[in-house]
Every structure is written in C-alpha cells, then in structure tokens.
C-alpha cells in the first residue's frame, strides 16, 4: 500500500525535484565556473533523475569550508559519497586497495538540498548563501 501510494506520486515528485535541480543549474552556473566548482553534467541523450544535486569542490578544505559556510546560515549540506574501498565493508570484503578517482570524489562532493518541502524563499536563500561562498 505504501509503495503504491509512492508510485502514484512518482511523476509529481520527479517533476518537483527536476525543477529544483534545473534552478540550481541555471542560477549557480557562473558562480561555479568562477570558483573552480564542477556542476553535474548530463549527456544530451540522457535524463537526469534529479534525486540529488551534487557539486564537486576543488578540494577537501573547500568542501569543508563550504559546508560550514552554509551551516552558519542554517542550511544543511552534506558530503555525499564514501568510496567503497574506504568503507569498512570495502576493507573487509574488497579486492583492491585504492582508487584515486573515487577517493578524490569522496573528498570533494557536496550536495545541496533537493526535497519537495523547499519553498521558493528557501531556494532563494540556499542560492544566495551558496553564491556568497568563494573558494
């Protein structure tokens, strides 16, 4: 019953999240370029599921400072990704010791809020706070 209710709302949830992601993409593009921050890229022949909006900061220090900056403004942003080989399960069951690319992403990714309870004022506040950060 719970799954059926969620499936019935699928399109409106996806559309709402896509609207938030598109807004971030549009209004933060210049800020990201000016600060050496990578934004998500979706190939022309693909569709973004819009379940999150993760940006790649230039360094672990920049990511940590950015999360603190937003936190001081009452905005919760989180690092997003722990490489499998660095997790306990990866260390216990994995077959390789390291992967530099996934380690870099683990240190640099941060995600902005993408949920349907965000009002338009919330989005403006998130974008204003984000654009106020310089690397």
């Amino acid at each position: 019953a719970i799954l059926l209710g969620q499936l019935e709302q699928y399109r409106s949830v996806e559309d709402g999240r896509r609207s938030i992601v598109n807004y971030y993409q549009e209004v933060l593009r210049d800020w990201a370029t000016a600060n050496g921050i990578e934004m998500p890229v979706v190939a022309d022949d693909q569709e973004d599921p819009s379940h999150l909006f993760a940006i790649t900061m230039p360094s672990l220090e920049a990511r940590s400072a950015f999360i603190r900056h937003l936190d001081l403004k009452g905005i919760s942003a989180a690092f997003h990704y722990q490489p499998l080989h660095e997790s306990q399960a990866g260390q216990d069951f994995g077959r390789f010791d390291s992967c530099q690319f996934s380690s870099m992403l683990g240190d640099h990714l941060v995600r902005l809020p993408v949920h349907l309870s965000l009002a338009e004022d919330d989005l403006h506040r998130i974008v204003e706070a984000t654009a106020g950060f310089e690397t």
Side-chain angles (χ1 to χ4, degrees), residues 92-108:
D92 291 347
F93 305 110
R95 295 194 175 112
F96 59 93
D97 293 327
S98 69
C99 179
Q100 291 178 336
F101 183 72
S102 58
S103 291
M104 182 278 298
L105 284 177
D107 287 345
H108 295 218

Side-chain angles (χ1 to χ4, degrees), residues 44-134:
D44 290 338
D45 64 338
Q46 301 295 313
E47 186 174 321
D48 185 351
S50 303
H51 67 289
L52 59 83
F53 188 81
I55 57 177
T56 308
M57 302 302 284
S59 67
L60 174 59
E61 294 78 17
R63 182 191 76 180
S64 298
F66 179 66
I67 290 172
R68 279 192 307 274
H69 169 80
L70 292 182
D71 187 54
L72 290 171
K73 298 182 179 308
I75 299 166
S76 178
F79 64 89
H80 177 71
Y81 169 72
Q82 179 185 28
L84 180 59
H85 69 276
E86 294 177 10
S87 71
Q88 189 62 54
Q91 291 172 11
D92 291 347
F93 305 110
R95 295 194 175 112
F96 59 93
D97 293 327
S98 69
C99 179
Q100 291 178 336
F101 183 72
S102 58
S103 291
M104 182 278 298
L105 284 177
D107 287 345
H108 295 218
L109 281 179
V110 61
R111 67 177 190 254
L112 295 179
V114 175
H115 52 84
L116 297 183
S117 64
L118 292 170
E120 191 172 327
D121 289 346
D122 296 323
L123 289 172
H124 292 303
R125 189 170 59 84
I126 292 166
V127 165
E128 183 178 317
T130 298
F133 180 81
E134 295 180 11

